[in-house]
Each structure stands twice: as C-alpha cells, then as structure tokens.
Short mmCIF file of all heavy atoms in Angstrom, two decimals:
data_model
loop_
_atom_site.label_atom_id
_atom_site.label_comp_id
_atom_site.label_asym_id
_atom_site.label_seq_id
_atom_site.Cartn_x
_atom_site.Cartn_y
_atom_site.Cartn_z
N LEU A 1 98.57 -84.08 -147.61
CA LEU A 1 99.65 -83.29 -148.11
C LEU A 1 99.84 -83.63 -149.58
O LEU A 1 99.94 -84.81 -149.94
CB LEU A 1 100.92 -83.60 -147.31
CG LEU A 1 102.23 -83.00 -147.80
CD1 LEU A 1 102.21 -81.49 -147.65
CD2 LEU A 1 103.37 -83.59 -147.01
N LEU A 2 99.84 -82.64 -150.43
CA LEU A 2 100.08 -82.85 -151.85
C LEU A 2 101.48 -82.36 -152.18
O LEU A 2 101.81 -81.22 -151.90
CB LEU A 2 99.07 -82.09 -152.70
CG LEU A 2 97.62 -82.54 -152.58
CD1 LEU A 2 96.73 -81.62 -153.38
CD2 LEU A 2 97.48 -83.96 -153.04
N GLN A 3 102.28 -83.22 -152.77
CA GLN A 3 103.62 -82.84 -153.17
C GLN A 3 103.70 -82.80 -154.69
O GLN A 3 103.10 -83.63 -155.36
CB GLN A 3 104.65 -83.82 -152.62
CG GLN A 3 104.72 -83.78 -151.11
CD GLN A 3 105.81 -84.67 -150.59
OE1 GLN A 3 106.18 -85.65 -151.20
NE2 GLN A 3 106.34 -84.30 -149.42
N ARG A 4 104.45 -81.87 -155.18
CA ARG A 4 104.52 -81.64 -156.62
C ARG A 4 104.95 -82.89 -157.39
O ARG A 4 104.34 -83.26 -158.38
CB ARG A 4 105.47 -80.50 -156.91
CG ARG A 4 105.57 -80.18 -158.39
CD ARG A 4 106.49 -79.04 -158.63
NE ARG A 4 105.94 -77.86 -157.97
CZ ARG A 4 106.06 -76.64 -158.42
NH1 ARG A 4 106.74 -76.41 -159.51
NH2 ARG A 4 105.51 -75.64 -157.79
N ASN A 5 106.02 -83.54 -156.98
CA ASN A 5 106.56 -84.67 -157.75
C ASN A 5 106.40 -86.02 -157.07
O ASN A 5 106.91 -87.02 -157.57
CB ASN A 5 108.05 -84.44 -158.03
CG ASN A 5 108.27 -83.24 -158.91
OD1 ASN A 5 107.48 -82.96 -159.79
ND2 ASN A 5 109.34 -82.51 -158.66
N HIS A 6 105.74 -86.07 -155.93
CA HIS A 6 105.69 -87.32 -155.18
C HIS A 6 104.28 -87.79 -154.84
O HIS A 6 104.13 -88.75 -154.09
CB HIS A 6 106.51 -87.19 -153.89
CG HIS A 6 107.93 -86.83 -154.15
ND1 HIS A 6 108.83 -87.73 -154.66
CD2 HIS A 6 108.61 -85.68 -153.96
CE1 HIS A 6 110.01 -87.14 -154.79
NE2 HIS A 6 109.89 -85.89 -154.37
N GLY A 7 103.26 -87.14 -155.32
CA GLY A 7 101.90 -87.59 -155.05
C GLY A 7 101.34 -87.02 -153.76
O GLY A 7 101.73 -85.95 -153.30
N ALA A 8 100.44 -87.78 -153.15
CA ALA A 8 99.73 -87.32 -151.96
C ALA A 8 100.03 -88.23 -150.77
O ALA A 8 100.24 -89.43 -150.93
CB ALA A 8 98.23 -87.31 -152.23
N PHE A 9 100.02 -87.64 -149.59
CA PHE A 9 100.19 -88.37 -148.34
C PHE A 9 99.03 -88.02 -147.43
O PHE A 9 98.57 -86.87 -147.42
CB PHE A 9 101.48 -87.96 -147.63
CG PHE A 9 102.72 -88.36 -148.36
CD1 PHE A 9 103.39 -87.44 -149.15
CD2 PHE A 9 103.23 -89.64 -148.26
CE1 PHE A 9 104.54 -87.78 -149.82
CE2 PHE A 9 104.38 -89.99 -148.92
CZ PHE A 9 105.04 -89.07 -149.70
N THR A 10 98.56 -88.98 -146.67
CA THR A 10 97.54 -88.70 -145.67
C THR A 10 97.95 -89.35 -144.36
O THR A 10 98.70 -90.33 -144.35
CB THR A 10 96.15 -89.24 -146.07
OG1 THR A 10 96.24 -90.64 -146.26
CG2 THR A 10 95.62 -88.57 -147.29
N ILE A 11 97.45 -88.81 -143.26
CA ILE A 11 97.66 -89.41 -141.95
C ILE A 11 96.32 -89.46 -141.24
O ILE A 11 95.37 -88.78 -141.62
CB ILE A 11 98.67 -88.61 -141.10
CG1 ILE A 11 98.19 -87.18 -140.87
CG2 ILE A 11 100.05 -88.62 -141.74
CD1 ILE A 11 99.02 -86.42 -139.87
N GLY A 12 96.25 -90.28 -140.22
CA GLY A 12 95.04 -90.37 -139.43
C GLY A 12 95.34 -91.09 -138.13
O GLY A 12 96.44 -91.62 -137.93
N THR A 13 94.38 -91.13 -137.25
CA THR A 13 94.57 -91.82 -135.99
C THR A 13 94.53 -93.33 -136.16
O THR A 13 94.89 -94.06 -135.27
CB THR A 13 93.50 -91.39 -134.96
OG1 THR A 13 92.21 -91.65 -135.50
CG2 THR A 13 93.63 -89.91 -134.63
N SER A 14 94.07 -93.78 -137.33
CA SER A 14 94.05 -95.21 -137.65
C SER A 14 94.25 -95.37 -139.16
O SER A 14 94.19 -94.39 -139.91
CB SER A 14 92.70 -95.82 -137.25
OG SER A 14 91.66 -95.29 -138.06
N VAL A 15 94.49 -96.59 -139.57
CA VAL A 15 94.63 -96.86 -141.00
C VAL A 15 93.33 -96.54 -141.72
O VAL A 15 93.33 -95.97 -142.82
CB VAL A 15 95.04 -98.33 -141.23
CG1 VAL A 15 95.05 -98.67 -142.70
CG2 VAL A 15 96.39 -98.61 -140.60
N GLY A 16 92.22 -96.87 -141.10
CA GLY A 16 90.92 -96.60 -141.71
C GLY A 16 90.68 -95.12 -141.94
O GLY A 16 90.20 -94.71 -142.99
N GLN A 17 91.04 -94.31 -140.96
CA GLN A 17 90.84 -92.87 -141.11
C GLN A 17 91.76 -92.31 -142.19
O GLN A 17 91.34 -91.47 -142.99
CB GLN A 17 91.08 -92.15 -139.79
CG GLN A 17 90.75 -90.68 -139.87
CD GLN A 17 91.04 -89.95 -138.58
OE1 GLN A 17 91.98 -90.27 -137.88
NE2 GLN A 17 90.22 -88.96 -138.28
N ALA A 18 93.00 -92.78 -142.24
CA ALA A 18 93.93 -92.31 -143.28
C ALA A 18 93.41 -92.72 -144.66
O ALA A 18 93.46 -91.93 -145.61
CB ALA A 18 95.32 -92.89 -143.04
N TRP A 19 92.90 -93.93 -144.79
CA TRP A 19 92.35 -94.39 -146.07
C TRP A 19 91.16 -93.54 -146.48
O TRP A 19 91.05 -93.12 -147.63
CB TRP A 19 91.93 -95.86 -145.99
CG TRP A 19 91.37 -96.33 -147.29
CD1 TRP A 19 92.06 -96.85 -148.34
CD2 TRP A 19 90.00 -96.28 -147.69
NE1 TRP A 19 91.20 -97.14 -149.37
CE2 TRP A 19 89.93 -96.79 -149.00
CE3 TRP A 19 88.82 -95.87 -147.08
CZ2 TRP A 19 88.74 -96.89 -149.70
CZ3 TRP A 19 87.64 -95.96 -147.78
CH2 TRP A 19 87.61 -96.48 -149.08
N LEU A 20 90.27 -93.26 -145.54
CA LEU A 20 89.08 -92.46 -145.84
C LEU A 20 89.47 -91.06 -146.28
O LEU A 20 88.89 -90.51 -147.22
CB LEU A 20 88.14 -92.40 -144.64
CG LEU A 20 86.85 -91.62 -144.83
CD1 LEU A 20 85.98 -92.29 -145.88
CD2 LEU A 20 86.10 -91.49 -143.53
N ARG A 21 90.47 -90.48 -145.63
CA ARG A 21 90.92 -89.15 -146.03
C ARG A 21 91.51 -89.16 -147.44
O ARG A 21 91.26 -88.25 -148.22
CB ARG A 21 91.95 -88.62 -145.03
CG ARG A 21 91.34 -88.22 -143.72
CD ARG A 21 92.38 -87.74 -142.74
NE ARG A 21 91.76 -87.22 -141.53
CZ ARG A 21 92.43 -86.74 -140.52
NH1 ARG A 21 93.75 -86.70 -140.56
NH2 ARG A 21 91.80 -86.30 -139.47
N MET A 22 92.28 -90.20 -147.77
CA MET A 22 92.86 -90.29 -149.12
C MET A 22 91.75 -90.49 -150.15
O MET A 22 91.74 -89.86 -151.21
CB MET A 22 93.87 -91.42 -149.20
CG MET A 22 94.48 -91.58 -150.57
SD MET A 22 95.40 -90.15 -151.16
CE MET A 22 96.94 -90.40 -150.31
N TYR A 23 90.80 -91.35 -149.85
CA TYR A 23 89.68 -91.59 -150.77
C TYR A 23 88.90 -90.29 -151.00
O TYR A 23 88.56 -89.95 -152.13
CB TYR A 23 88.76 -92.67 -150.20
CG TYR A 23 87.54 -92.89 -151.05
CD1 TYR A 23 87.60 -93.70 -152.19
CD2 TYR A 23 86.32 -92.30 -150.74
CE1 TYR A 23 86.49 -93.90 -152.98
CE2 TYR A 23 85.21 -92.49 -151.53
CZ TYR A 23 85.30 -93.29 -152.65
OH TYR A 23 84.19 -93.47 -153.44
N SER A 24 88.66 -89.55 -149.91
CA SER A 24 87.92 -88.29 -150.03
C SER A 24 88.70 -87.27 -150.85
O SER A 24 88.11 -86.54 -151.66
CB SER A 24 87.62 -87.72 -148.64
OG SER A 24 86.82 -88.61 -147.91
N LEU A 25 90.02 -87.23 -150.67
CA LEU A 25 90.85 -86.31 -151.44
C LEU A 25 90.80 -86.64 -152.92
O LEU A 25 90.61 -85.76 -153.76
CB LEU A 25 92.29 -86.34 -150.93
CG LEU A 25 93.30 -85.54 -151.74
CD1 LEU A 25 92.98 -84.05 -151.68
CD2 LEU A 25 94.70 -85.81 -151.26
N VAL A 26 90.96 -87.92 -153.25
CA VAL A 26 90.93 -88.33 -154.65
C VAL A 26 89.58 -88.02 -155.27
O VAL A 26 89.48 -87.50 -156.38
CB VAL A 26 91.27 -89.83 -154.78
CG1 VAL A 26 91.00 -90.34 -156.18
CG2 VAL A 26 92.72 -90.07 -154.40
N ARG A 27 88.51 -88.31 -154.55
CA ARG A 27 87.16 -88.05 -155.07
C ARG A 27 86.93 -86.54 -155.26
O ARG A 27 86.34 -86.13 -156.25
CB ARG A 27 86.12 -88.63 -154.11
CG ARG A 27 84.73 -88.54 -154.64
CD ARG A 27 84.54 -89.38 -155.88
NE ARG A 27 83.19 -89.15 -156.36
CZ ARG A 27 82.87 -88.97 -157.62
NH1 ARG A 27 83.77 -89.06 -158.56
NH2 ARG A 27 81.63 -88.75 -157.96
N ALA A 28 87.40 -85.73 -154.32
CA ALA A 28 87.24 -84.28 -154.45
C ALA A 28 87.99 -83.77 -155.68
O ALA A 28 87.49 -82.90 -156.40
CB ALA A 28 87.75 -83.58 -153.19
N CYS A 29 89.18 -84.31 -155.94
CA CYS A 29 89.94 -83.90 -157.12
C CYS A 29 89.21 -84.30 -158.40
O CYS A 29 89.16 -83.54 -159.36
CB CYS A 29 91.34 -84.51 -157.10
SG CYS A 29 92.40 -83.84 -155.81
N GLU A 30 88.63 -85.50 -158.41
CA GLU A 30 87.87 -85.95 -159.59
C GLU A 30 86.68 -85.03 -159.84
O GLU A 30 86.42 -84.64 -160.99
CB GLU A 30 87.38 -87.38 -159.39
CG GLU A 30 88.48 -88.41 -159.41
CD GLU A 30 87.98 -89.80 -159.02
OE1 GLU A 30 86.83 -89.93 -158.54
OE2 GLU A 30 88.76 -90.75 -159.18
N VAL A 31 85.97 -84.68 -158.79
CA VAL A 31 84.80 -83.81 -158.93
C VAL A 31 85.23 -82.43 -159.42
O VAL A 31 84.59 -81.83 -160.29
CB VAL A 31 84.03 -83.71 -157.59
CG1 VAL A 31 82.98 -82.62 -157.63
CG2 VAL A 31 83.39 -85.05 -157.26
N GLN A 32 86.34 -81.92 -158.89
CA GLN A 32 86.82 -80.61 -159.33
C GLN A 32 87.19 -80.63 -160.81
O GLN A 32 86.86 -79.70 -161.55
CB GLN A 32 88.01 -80.17 -158.50
CG GLN A 32 88.50 -78.78 -158.87
CD GLN A 32 89.65 -78.32 -158.00
OE1 GLN A 32 90.18 -79.07 -157.19
NE2 GLN A 32 90.02 -77.07 -158.16
N LEU A 33 87.84 -81.67 -161.26
CA LEU A 33 88.20 -81.77 -162.67
C LEU A 33 86.96 -81.85 -163.56
O LEU A 33 86.91 -81.23 -164.62
CB LEU A 33 89.10 -82.97 -162.92
CG LEU A 33 90.53 -82.83 -162.42
CD1 LEU A 33 91.28 -84.14 -162.59
CD2 LEU A 33 91.24 -81.70 -163.14
N MET A 34 85.96 -82.60 -163.12
CA MET A 34 84.71 -82.67 -163.90
C MET A 34 84.02 -81.32 -163.95
O MET A 34 83.49 -80.93 -164.98
CB MET A 34 83.78 -83.73 -163.31
CG MET A 34 84.23 -85.15 -163.57
SD MET A 34 83.03 -86.40 -163.06
CE MET A 34 83.23 -86.36 -161.29
N ALA A 35 84.04 -80.60 -162.82
CA ALA A 35 83.40 -79.28 -162.79
C ALA A 35 84.15 -78.29 -163.68
O ALA A 35 83.52 -77.49 -164.39
CB ALA A 35 83.35 -78.75 -161.36
N LEU A 36 85.47 -78.33 -163.68
CA LEU A 36 86.25 -77.41 -164.49
C LEU A 36 86.14 -77.73 -165.97
O LEU A 36 86.37 -76.86 -166.81
CB LEU A 36 87.71 -77.42 -164.04
CG LEU A 36 87.96 -76.81 -162.67
CD1 LEU A 36 89.42 -77.01 -162.26
CD2 LEU A 36 87.60 -75.34 -162.65
N ALA A 37 85.79 -78.97 -166.31
CA ALA A 37 85.60 -79.33 -167.71
C ALA A 37 84.37 -78.65 -168.30
O ALA A 37 84.20 -78.62 -169.51
CB ALA A 37 85.47 -80.85 -167.84
N ASN A 38 83.55 -78.09 -167.45
CA ASN A 38 82.33 -77.39 -167.87
C ASN A 38 82.64 -75.92 -168.13
O ASN A 38 82.02 -75.03 -167.58
CB ASN A 38 81.25 -77.55 -166.79
CG ASN A 38 79.93 -76.99 -167.22
OD1 ASN A 38 79.67 -76.80 -168.40
ND2 ASN A 38 79.08 -76.71 -166.25
N ASP A 39 83.63 -75.65 -168.96
CA ASP A 39 84.03 -74.28 -169.32
C ASP A 39 84.41 -73.43 -168.13
O ASP A 39 84.30 -72.20 -168.16
CB ASP A 39 82.94 -73.58 -170.13
CG ASP A 39 82.71 -74.26 -171.47
OD1 ASP A 39 83.70 -74.78 -172.04
OD2 ASP A 39 81.57 -74.27 -171.95
N GLY A 40 84.82 -74.04 -167.04
CA GLY A 40 85.26 -73.28 -165.88
C GLY A 40 84.14 -72.61 -165.12
O GLY A 40 84.40 -71.82 -164.22
N ALA A 41 82.88 -72.90 -165.45
CA ALA A 41 81.74 -72.29 -164.76
C ALA A 41 81.43 -73.09 -163.50
O ALA A 41 80.67 -74.04 -163.52
CB ALA A 41 80.53 -72.26 -165.68
N VAL A 42 82.08 -72.73 -162.41
CA VAL A 42 81.93 -73.46 -161.16
C VAL A 42 81.41 -72.50 -160.09
O VAL A 42 81.96 -71.42 -159.89
CB VAL A 42 83.29 -74.05 -160.70
CG1 VAL A 42 83.13 -74.79 -159.39
CG2 VAL A 42 83.87 -74.95 -161.76
N ASP A 43 80.34 -72.90 -159.41
CA ASP A 43 79.85 -72.11 -158.27
C ASP A 43 80.77 -72.39 -157.09
O ASP A 43 81.13 -73.53 -156.82
CB ASP A 43 78.42 -72.50 -157.91
CG ASP A 43 77.43 -72.07 -158.98
OD1 ASP A 43 77.71 -71.09 -159.69
OD2 ASP A 43 76.39 -72.73 -159.12
N MET A 44 81.16 -71.35 -156.39
CA MET A 44 82.07 -71.50 -155.26
C MET A 44 81.33 -72.10 -154.06
O MET A 44 80.20 -71.70 -153.76
CB MET A 44 82.68 -70.16 -154.88
CG MET A 44 83.52 -69.56 -156.00
SD MET A 44 84.84 -70.63 -156.57
CE MET A 44 85.90 -70.66 -155.15
N VAL A 45 81.97 -73.01 -153.39
CA VAL A 45 81.43 -73.64 -152.19
C VAL A 45 82.04 -72.92 -150.99
O VAL A 45 83.24 -72.66 -150.97
CB VAL A 45 81.79 -75.14 -152.15
CG1 VAL A 45 81.30 -75.79 -150.88
CG2 VAL A 45 81.25 -75.83 -153.37
N PRO A 46 81.23 -72.58 -149.98
CA PRO A 46 81.79 -71.88 -148.83
C PRO A 46 82.82 -72.73 -148.10
O PRO A 46 82.74 -73.96 -148.10
CB PRO A 46 80.57 -71.60 -147.95
CG PRO A 46 79.51 -72.50 -148.43
CD PRO A 46 79.81 -72.84 -149.85
N ALA A 47 83.78 -72.08 -147.48
CA ALA A 47 84.82 -72.78 -146.72
C ALA A 47 84.19 -73.46 -145.50
O ALA A 47 83.20 -72.97 -144.95
CB ALA A 47 85.88 -71.80 -146.27
N PRO A 48 84.75 -74.59 -145.06
CA PRO A 48 84.21 -75.24 -143.87
C PRO A 48 84.39 -74.37 -142.63
O PRO A 48 85.28 -73.52 -142.58
CB PRO A 48 85.04 -76.53 -143.75
CG PRO A 48 86.17 -76.40 -144.69
CD PRO A 48 85.86 -75.30 -145.65
N SER A 49 83.55 -74.61 -141.65
CA SER A 49 83.57 -73.82 -140.42
C SER A 49 84.87 -74.02 -139.67
O SER A 49 85.44 -75.11 -139.64
CB SER A 49 82.39 -74.24 -139.53
OG SER A 49 82.47 -73.59 -138.29
N THR A 50 85.35 -72.96 -139.04
CA THR A 50 86.55 -73.05 -138.21
C THR A 50 86.21 -72.95 -136.72
O THR A 50 87.10 -72.86 -135.89
CB THR A 50 87.55 -71.94 -138.57
OG1 THR A 50 86.89 -70.67 -138.44
CG2 THR A 50 88.06 -72.10 -139.99
N ASP A 51 84.92 -72.99 -136.41
CA ASP A 51 84.48 -72.98 -135.02
C ASP A 51 85.05 -74.22 -134.32
O ASP A 51 84.87 -75.34 -134.80
CB ASP A 51 82.95 -72.98 -134.98
CG ASP A 51 82.41 -73.09 -133.57
OD1 ASP A 51 82.91 -72.37 -132.69
OD2 ASP A 51 81.51 -73.93 -133.35
N PRO A 52 85.74 -74.06 -133.18
CA PRO A 52 86.37 -75.21 -132.52
C PRO A 52 85.41 -76.35 -132.19
O PRO A 52 85.76 -77.52 -132.32
CB PRO A 52 86.96 -74.61 -131.24
CG PRO A 52 87.11 -73.16 -131.52
CD PRO A 52 86.02 -72.81 -132.49
N GLU A 53 84.18 -76.03 -131.78
CA GLU A 53 83.21 -77.08 -131.46
C GLU A 53 82.82 -77.86 -132.71
O GLU A 53 82.75 -79.08 -132.69
CB GLU A 53 81.97 -76.45 -130.81
CG GLU A 53 80.95 -77.48 -130.37
CD GLU A 53 79.76 -76.82 -129.70
OE1 GLU A 53 79.93 -75.77 -129.06
OE2 GLU A 53 78.66 -77.39 -129.81
N THR A 54 82.60 -77.17 -133.82
CA THR A 54 82.25 -77.81 -135.08
C THR A 54 83.40 -78.67 -135.59
O THR A 54 83.19 -79.79 -136.06
CB THR A 54 81.87 -76.75 -136.12
OG1 THR A 54 80.82 -75.94 -135.61
CG2 THR A 54 81.42 -77.39 -137.42
N VAL A 55 84.62 -78.17 -135.47
CA VAL A 55 85.80 -78.92 -135.92
C VAL A 55 85.95 -80.20 -135.09
O VAL A 55 86.22 -81.27 -135.63
CB VAL A 55 87.06 -78.05 -135.83
CG1 VAL A 55 88.31 -78.87 -136.07
CG2 VAL A 55 86.98 -76.90 -136.83
N ALA A 56 85.74 -80.11 -133.78
CA ALA A 56 85.85 -81.29 -132.92
C ALA A 56 84.81 -82.34 -133.29
O ALA A 56 85.11 -83.53 -133.35
CB ALA A 56 85.70 -80.88 -131.46
N LYS A 57 83.58 -81.91 -133.56
CA LYS A 57 82.53 -82.84 -133.96
C LYS A 57 82.86 -83.50 -135.30
O LYS A 57 82.67 -84.70 -135.48
CB LYS A 57 81.18 -82.12 -134.08
CG LYS A 57 80.56 -81.76 -132.77
CD LYS A 57 79.24 -81.05 -132.97
CE LYS A 57 78.63 -80.59 -131.68
NZ LYS A 57 77.38 -79.87 -131.90
N ARG A 58 83.38 -82.71 -136.24
CA ARG A 58 83.73 -83.23 -137.56
C ARG A 58 84.86 -84.26 -137.45
O ARG A 58 84.82 -85.31 -138.08
CB ARG A 58 84.11 -82.08 -138.49
CG ARG A 58 84.33 -82.50 -139.91
CD ARG A 58 84.49 -81.32 -140.86
NE ARG A 58 85.50 -80.38 -140.42
CZ ARG A 58 85.33 -79.08 -140.32
NH1 ARG A 58 84.18 -78.53 -140.66
NH2 ARG A 58 86.29 -78.29 -139.91
N ASN A 59 85.86 -83.99 -136.61
CA ASN A 59 86.97 -84.93 -136.43
C ASN A 59 86.52 -86.21 -135.75
O ASN A 59 86.98 -87.30 -136.11
CB ASN A 59 88.10 -84.27 -135.63
CG ASN A 59 88.83 -83.22 -136.44
OD1 ASN A 59 88.75 -83.20 -137.65
ND2 ASN A 59 89.52 -82.34 -135.75
N ALA A 60 85.63 -86.10 -134.76
CA ALA A 60 85.12 -87.30 -134.09
C ALA A 60 84.33 -88.16 -135.07
O ALA A 60 84.46 -89.38 -135.08
CB ALA A 60 84.23 -86.90 -132.90
N LYS A 61 83.53 -87.52 -135.91
CA LYS A 61 82.75 -88.27 -136.90
C LYS A 61 83.68 -88.94 -137.91
O LYS A 61 83.48 -90.09 -138.28
CB LYS A 61 81.79 -87.33 -137.63
CG LYS A 61 80.93 -88.05 -138.64
CD LYS A 61 79.96 -87.09 -139.32
CE LYS A 61 79.14 -87.82 -140.36
NZ LYS A 61 78.25 -86.92 -141.08
N ALA A 62 84.74 -88.25 -138.34
CA ALA A 62 85.68 -88.82 -139.31
C ALA A 62 86.38 -90.03 -138.73
O ALA A 62 86.59 -91.03 -139.43
CB ALA A 62 86.69 -87.76 -139.74
N THR A 63 86.73 -89.99 -137.46
CA THR A 63 87.37 -91.13 -136.81
C THR A 63 86.43 -92.32 -136.78
O THR A 63 86.81 -93.45 -137.09
CB THR A 63 87.81 -90.75 -135.38
OG1 THR A 63 88.71 -89.66 -135.46
CG2 THR A 63 88.47 -91.91 -134.69
N ARG A 64 85.18 -92.08 -136.41
CA ARG A 64 84.18 -93.15 -136.32
C ARG A 64 83.90 -93.74 -137.70
O ARG A 64 83.90 -94.96 -137.88
CB ARG A 64 82.91 -92.58 -135.69
CG ARG A 64 81.92 -93.60 -135.24
CD ARG A 64 80.78 -92.99 -134.41
NE ARG A 64 80.09 -91.91 -135.10
CZ ARG A 64 80.18 -90.62 -134.77
NH1 ARG A 64 80.93 -90.24 -133.76
NH2 ARG A 64 79.51 -89.70 -135.43
N VAL A 65 83.71 -92.89 -138.69
CA VAL A 65 83.42 -93.35 -140.05
C VAL A 65 84.62 -94.08 -140.63
O VAL A 65 84.48 -95.11 -141.29
CB VAL A 65 82.99 -92.17 -140.94
CG1 VAL A 65 82.93 -92.58 -142.40
CG2 VAL A 65 81.65 -91.63 -140.49
N GLY A 66 85.83 -93.59 -140.36
CA GLY A 66 87.03 -94.24 -140.86
C GLY A 66 87.15 -95.65 -140.32
O GLY A 66 87.49 -96.59 -141.05
N ALA A 67 86.88 -95.84 -139.04
CA ALA A 67 86.96 -97.17 -138.44
C ALA A 67 85.91 -98.10 -139.02
O ALA A 67 86.19 -99.25 -139.36
CB ALA A 67 86.80 -97.07 -136.92
N LEU A 68 84.70 -97.63 -139.18
CA LEU A 68 83.63 -98.46 -139.74
C LEU A 68 83.90 -98.80 -141.20
O LEU A 68 83.72 -99.94 -141.62
CB LEU A 68 82.28 -97.74 -139.62
CG LEU A 68 81.75 -97.55 -138.20
CD1 LEU A 68 80.50 -96.68 -138.22
CD2 LEU A 68 81.47 -98.88 -137.54
N GLY A 69 84.34 -97.81 -141.98
CA GLY A 69 84.61 -98.04 -143.39
C GLY A 69 85.75 -99.01 -143.59
O GLY A 69 85.70 -99.88 -144.46
N TRP A 70 86.80 -98.91 -142.79
CA TRP A 70 87.95 -99.79 -142.93
C TRP A 70 87.56 -101.23 -142.59
O TRP A 70 87.94 -102.16 -143.29
CB TRP A 70 89.08 -99.30 -142.02
CG TRP A 70 90.32 -100.13 -142.17
CD1 TRP A 70 90.85 -100.95 -141.26
CD2 TRP A 70 91.17 -100.19 -143.33
NE1 TRP A 70 91.99 -101.53 -141.75
CE2 TRP A 70 92.20 -101.08 -143.03
CE3 TRP A 70 91.15 -99.59 -144.57
CZ2 TRP A 70 93.22 -101.38 -143.93
CZ3 TRP A 70 92.14 -99.88 -145.47
CH2 TRP A 70 93.17 -100.77 -145.15
N ASN A 71 86.78 -101.42 -141.53
CA ASN A 71 86.33 -102.76 -141.18
C ASN A 71 85.49 -103.36 -142.30
O ASN A 71 85.62 -104.56 -142.61
CB ASN A 71 85.54 -102.76 -139.87
CG ASN A 71 86.43 -102.48 -138.68
OD1 ASN A 71 87.62 -102.77 -138.71
ND2 ASN A 71 85.86 -101.91 -137.64
N ALA A 72 84.64 -102.57 -142.91
CA ALA A 72 83.82 -103.07 -144.03
C ALA A 72 84.70 -103.45 -145.22
O ALA A 72 84.46 -104.47 -145.87
CB ALA A 72 82.80 -102.01 -144.44
N LEU A 73 85.71 -102.66 -145.51
CA LEU A 73 86.60 -102.97 -146.62
C LEU A 73 87.40 -104.25 -146.36
O LEU A 73 87.66 -105.03 -147.29
CB LEU A 73 87.57 -101.82 -146.89
CG LEU A 73 86.93 -100.60 -147.54
CD1 LEU A 73 87.91 -99.43 -147.51
CD2 LEU A 73 86.53 -100.90 -148.96
N LEU A 74 87.80 -104.48 -145.13
CA LEU A 74 88.54 -105.68 -144.80
C LEU A 74 87.68 -106.94 -144.98
O LEU A 74 88.19 -107.99 -145.35
CB LEU A 74 89.09 -105.62 -143.37
CG LEU A 74 90.21 -104.60 -143.14
CD1 LEU A 74 90.60 -104.58 -141.69
CD2 LEU A 74 91.41 -104.90 -144.03
N ARG A 75 86.39 -106.81 -144.72
CA ARG A 75 85.49 -107.96 -144.90
C ARG A 75 85.36 -108.26 -146.36
O ARG A 75 85.27 -109.31 -146.84
CB ARG A 75 84.12 -107.68 -144.31
CG ARG A 75 84.08 -107.76 -142.80
CD ARG A 75 82.65 -107.78 -142.30
NE ARG A 75 81.93 -106.57 -142.62
CZ ARG A 75 81.85 -105.51 -141.84
NH1 ARG A 75 82.44 -105.49 -140.68
NH2 ARG A 75 81.18 -104.44 -142.20
#
C-alpha cells in the first residue's frame, strides 16, 4: 500500500514475506525511475496473469522465497 504522505506498507503471511514484498516494491520503483530518466522511452511490460492457478503458484513461491530469504538475512 502506498500512501501519499506516510510512505509504504506491506503485509505477508510472515515477516520474511512482508520484507521481500517491500524490498521488491522499492527495487521496482528504483528501476522505474531509472527507466524514466531515459527521456521517458519505456517499453511497456505486460500485466501479470490473473489466472487463479497461476496466482496461487506465484503466492506459494513468494511465501517459500520470503521464508528462505528472511532466514538468510537473520544469519
């Protein structure tokens, strides 16, 4: 969630997943700013799939990656 005057909030099923989502959001914003610095010549990226099976797989992977990434960061 991006708020105008209060920054960004993320949620997840675990702290690791919430952290990974925030990291991904910040990185996506950085990449967008770098792309727009190129005179606004940006190729559009297709929207992610809304197929329920694909969404379920993507969420399961995000949960698994979030847990692994958080454990690595704690070490």
Side-chain angles (χ1 to χ4, degrees):
L1 173 67
L2 295 175
Q3 294 185 332
R4 182 179 297 214
N5 296 325
H6 301 287
F9 294 99
T10 58
I11 60 170
T13 57
S14 67
V15 174
Q17 186 182 34
W19 180 88
L20 181 64
R21 287 179 174 180
M22 179 61 81
Y23 176 81
S24 298
L25 174 65
V26 169
R27 186 65 184 137
C29 291
E30 290 172 350
V31 169
Q32 183 177 7
L33 287 174
M34 287 187 285
L36 291 174
N38 186 20
D39 295 327
V42 179
D43 292 332
M44 298 304 292
V45 177
S49 174
T50 56
D51 175 46
E53 183 178 329
T54 304
V55 171
K57 287 180 184 178
R58 187 171 52 230
N59 288 341
K61 181 179 178 183
T63 301
R64 194 171 55 251
V65 170
L68 292 173
W70 183 248
N71 290 333
L73 288 169
L74 291 177
R75 284 193 297 268

